[in-house]
Amino acid sequence: MKNQIFRMILSIALLSIFSGTALAADVVLTPFGQSPDAMMVRVVLKKLGIDGRLEKLLQADELQDEKVLITVVAGSSKGLGEAGIDKDAEIERMKTLAAAAGAKGMKVLVMHIGGKGRRGTLTDVFIVESVPMADALIVVEGGDYDGLFTGLVEGKELQMLIAPSVRGTSEPLQQVLTEWGVLQ
Amino acid sequence: MRFSIARASGFTGLAVVLLMLTVAAWGKNFTPDIRPGEGVTEQRKLSDYFAPLKGTNLDTDVFILDSGQPGATGLLLGGTHGNELAGSVAALVMVENSVVRQGKLIVIPYANRSAISMRDTRNGIKRQHAIQSRSGKRFLPYGDRRTDPADQGQADPDDYENPAGYVLKNGAESRNLNRTYPGDPEGTRTEQVTYAIIALIKEEQVDISLDMHEADTPERKVQTDGDYRPGGNRRLAYTLVSHPRGIEIAAFALLALEEDIEVSMKLEESNTKYRGLSHLEIGNATDCLSFLSESPNPGQDRWRSDGDVVNDPKYPLTHRVGLHLRLFKNLADAYADYHGEALIIEGLPEYQDLLAGSIGRFLN
């Protein structure tokens, strides 16, 4: 029954996307660390009726007229290898991109959706770099198990929302994207 | 005295040879116990897709469940590694319970039959696991990761260059079925098996495949002083690996899994530089969208040799089997949403029903 409801919601979301009512141009996604987690967020967005453009190696000059840049943080050595870049190049790409997004008046949403399983030395380097770029932060439970995110946002006027699961990021995403004018 | 020692050595040698021959013969004659349900419309052999496998210990059963109605064709692979029990048992549950109402389903419960005919060399898990099935006592076989050297037909090389051109430093990996894709008709027996699987996928025009695996659990051994022993968790369990072409469908399937059974799994994309694995090579060699799933198997934890592969309280076989089956269903559903071709399977137990008792309730 639950699955039927999910499929119904999914069908409606897909239908709305393909019928052209989706907010296609408002959101652009890119991974920070080259893990596939950004694809998971893209699918959550689709369920919300948002067909976000996903570019693994999005560059500053490739930003269009989007309102929001979403970057999903998780380090993947394999992903970096596939992309032919190292961690320093990835950090540099994201710093340049976030600065360009800010200059265009875009909001930057940083997400970590992999819980404790997607934490580790490489990911933590990216997390530390990503938080200062964020206008808002969504973290799936377990991702902040050691208080890393909490420590990084301390003293800053930065909204950090905790989601119970990847699917559960739907609610905080809806909240943030509504505040930022992407969703009505 | 010297004569006696020589004679005794001779007897011992003879006994060892006889024992080896007996074990080899037992392996050769090993036939997995599979009891197809009413949904199976045709039973074939992998050698039907590549004749040289016929009569070898690597030929294996292929079950076809055809609705006769147009739709998607799915392939479910279990037993790529003989020591990854849940994949084989999930395939058995599928073959023994399900009826396909739309599209076609092909199931291979023991993709590497030679590996299941050997004892586990990693942790020494026992060969047979007794369960109470619907028709009485039954045994689930637990095997080894790789093809029996006796079945391979040649010695392991020092380095193994697989058919995709990737070189592995451990020559024994030439007997690892999931390093030999896309196979080679002129290659080793193991490479011939993967060649036959690819031939099957092409001939049957398979749209979507899931190769079901197991990995060590996320647990670590607690020492007596309460500290943890490192190295127990390689973070492979609870992962779905997708060919790059299938990554969005995989993401949909994982979100649906959270919705259905409240289990989160990690999404990974095939590493295109690490060649020879099913999820990459099937998708490269054919039009099929290929995936690989990993469940947590206590029998694969290196820090313990007594992992209970059936009744572990945290990672019971029912949980692991349910995970693979639900994932396959969700992949098929997502494929239908994207491509408009459905594979509709009825008769499978729900995940919660599986968890409510023993696995034998769903085996004939």
Side-chain angles (χ1 to χ4, degrees):
Chain A
M1 183 63 186
K2 267 182 161 183
N3 197 38
Q4 283 174 338
I5 293 167
F6 171 78
R7 293 192 66 200
M8 201 182 297
I9 292 166
L10 172 62
S11 300
I12 292 166
L14 288 173
L15 192 65
S16 69
I17 289 159
F18 295 128
S19 64
T21 56
L23 303 156
D26 285 347
V27 175
V28 62
L29 297 108
T30 194
F32 191 169
Q34 298 301 314
S35 93
D37 286 359
M39 178 56 80
M40 297 290 287
V41 174
R42 176 171 145 81
V43 169
V44 175
L45 288 171
K46 272 196 172 185
K47 290 176 67 181
L48 290 172
I50 300 169
D51 192 16
R53 178 166 67 99
L54 170 58
E55 300 286 350
K56 286 183 181 175
L57 289 171
L58 184 69
Q59 303 296 325
D61 60 4
E62 293 170 339
L63 291 171
Q64 297 169 3
D65 296 323
E66 294 95 353
K67 292 178 181 168
V68 176
L69 167 66
I70 299 179
T71 187
V72 186
V73 194
S76 164
S77 302
K78 188 181 76 183
L80 290 169
E82 286 270 339
I85 56 173
D86 61 15
K87 84 174 161 35
D88 294 333
E90 178 70 338
I91 290 167
E92 194 52 42
R93 177 183 76 88
M94 281 308 304
K95 278 183 172 172
T96 309
L97 184 62
K104 285 169 78 80
M106 293 172 67
K107 295 282 191 184
V108 178
L109 172 61
V110 172
M111 297 180 71
H112 181 272
I113 64 162
K116 193 177 175 182
R118 280 279 200 216
R119 285 284 310 280
T121 311
L122 183 61
T123 295
D124 290 0
V125 169
F126 294 134
I127 288 172
V128 169
E129 296 289 345
S130 71
V131 172
M133 302 172 185
D135 294 302
L137 192 58
I138 296 176
V139 179
V140 167
E141 262 173 17
D144 191 35
Y145 74 98
D146 57 354
L148 176 63
F149 282 101
T150 304
L152 289 168
V153 300
E154 210 169 80
K156 296 188 175 69
E157 282 189 23
L158 178 60
Q159 195 178 15
M160 180 166 89
L161 301 166
I162 301 293
S165 60
V166 182
R167 182 176 57 90
T169 59
S170 179
E171 200 174 307
L173 265 171
Q174 214 164 354
Q175 180 188 326
V176 170
L177 295 178
T178 303
E179 284 172 16
W180 291 349
V182 174
L183 290 171
Q184 302 301 312
Chain B
M1 185 65 180
R2 194 174 290 170
F3 173 76
S4 300
I5 290 170
R7 210 164 61 161
S9 301
F11 284 139
T12 308
L14 184 64
V16 169
V17 169
L18 283 172
L19 182 65
M20 284 172 68
L21 287 172
T22 307
V23 169
W26 182 74
K28 290 278 178 223
N29 293 324
F30 181 75
T31 303
D33 182 1
I34 306 170
R35 307 174 188 185
E38 62 180 38
V40 174
T41 52
E42 189 183 354
Q43 190 170 336
R44 306 188 79 178
K45 287 281 188 186
L46 194 57
S47 58
D48 291 338
Y49 301 90
F50 184 63
L53 285 176
K54 193 166 186 173
T56 72
N57 202 31
L58 283 127
D59 198 5
T60 193
D61 290 318
V62 176
F63 297 91
I64 297 178
L65 296 83
D66 192 350
S67 69
Q69 302 299 317
T73 297
L75 170 65
L76 196 58
L77 285 169
T80 290
H81 294 141
N83 59 344
E84 296 171 15
L85 184 65
S88 292
V89 177
L92 294 181
V93 169
M94 186 68 94
V95 164
E96 300 186 17
N97 293 276
S98 60
V99 175
V100 175
R101 297 297 181 201
Q102 192 175 344
K104 183 162 73 173
L105 174 64
I106 301 166
V107 185
I108 303 179
Y110 296 101
N112 189 341
R113 190 163 69 89
S114 171
I116 199 71
S117 71
M118 284 176 72
R119 190 183 176 93
D120 172 39
T121 57
R122 175 168 169 159
N123 272 357
I125 302 295
K126 68 178 179 179
R127 286 283 296 126
Q128 301 285 352
H129 297 263
I131 57 157
Q132 198 65 29
S133 76
R134 288 189 285 232
S135 56
K137 196 172 186 179
R138 182 173 169 178
F139 293 90
L140 301 173
Y142 196 95
D144 196 26
R145 181 174 172 83
R146 303 183 180 114
T147 303
D148 184 340
D151 291 324
Q152 180 77 332
Q154 54 185 267
D156 293 342
D158 290 335
D159 292 343
Y160 171 53
E161 182 174 352
N162 70 21
Y166 188 83
V167 178
L168 293 139
K169 290 296 177 191
N170 180 0
E173 287 293 78
S174 63
R175 293 182 284 110
N176 180 346
L177 193 73
N178 201 29
R179 298 295 181 274
T180 66
Y181 281 93
D184 181 352
E186 306 294 330
T188 66
R189 282 281 182 233
T190 310
E191 290 170 347
Q192 289 179 345
V193 171
T194 41
Y195 178 82
I197 291 170
I198 294 284
L200 177 155
I201 289 169
K202 288 178 177 170
E203 187 174 325
E204 302 289 350
Q205 298 181 315
V206 174
D207 298 301
I208 182 172
S209 68
L210 180 64
D211 185 11
M212 298 176 288
H213 285 250
E214 294 208 278
D216 50 349
T217 70
E219 302 300 313
R220 294 180 180 186
K221 184 179 183 181
V222 180
Q223 302 294 294
T224 47
D225 60 2
D227 200 359
Y228 288 88
R229 176 177 166 171
N233 177 3
R234 293 186 301 140
R235 296 180 180 167
L236 192 55
Y238 294 112
T239 299
L240 177 65
V241 190
S242 168
H243 187 274
R245 287 191 289 113
I247 194 80
E248 191 157 350
I249 282 175
F252 266 110
L254 291 184
L255 283 179
L257 197 75
E258 280 192 347
E259 172 85 15
D260 294 339
I261 65 173
E262 296 179 352
V263 173
S264 295
M265 288 180 70
K266 193 168 58 172
L267 176 62
E268 292 287 357
E269 191 171 312
S270 303
N271 181 346
T272 59
K273 289 170 183 156
Y274 188 6
R275 304 295 304 272
L277 283 78
S278 64
H279 50 82
L280 177 65
E281 303 299 341
I282 289 173
N284 283 358
T286 73
D287 293 333
C288 177
L289 296 181
S290 44
F291 306 94
L292 183 150
S293 51
E294 296 274 6
S295 58
N297 178 6
Q300 290 185 255
D301 287 337
R302 288 196 184 273
W303 53 268
R304 56 179 160 184
S305 57
D306 58 347
D308 188 338
V309 298
V310 176
N311 296 311
D312 182 90
K314 195 164 180 184
Y315 307 102
L317 185 57
T318 46
H319 159 65
R320 289 138 55 203
V321 165
L323 201 65
H324 290 295
L325 290 175
R326 196 73 213 186
L327 201 48
F328 183 69
K329 185 183 182 303
N330 290 351
L331 286 167
D333 287 348
Y335 181 85
D337 287 331
Y338 270 76
H339 297 272
E341 288 186 322
L343 172 60
I344 298 176
I345 302 166
E346 291 181 355
L348 274 179
E350 291 293 330
Y351 174 78
Q352 293 301 341
D353 293 338
L354 275 162
L355 280 194
S358 69
I359 194 73
R361 294 170 305 132
F362 301 100
L363 291 171
N364 293 330

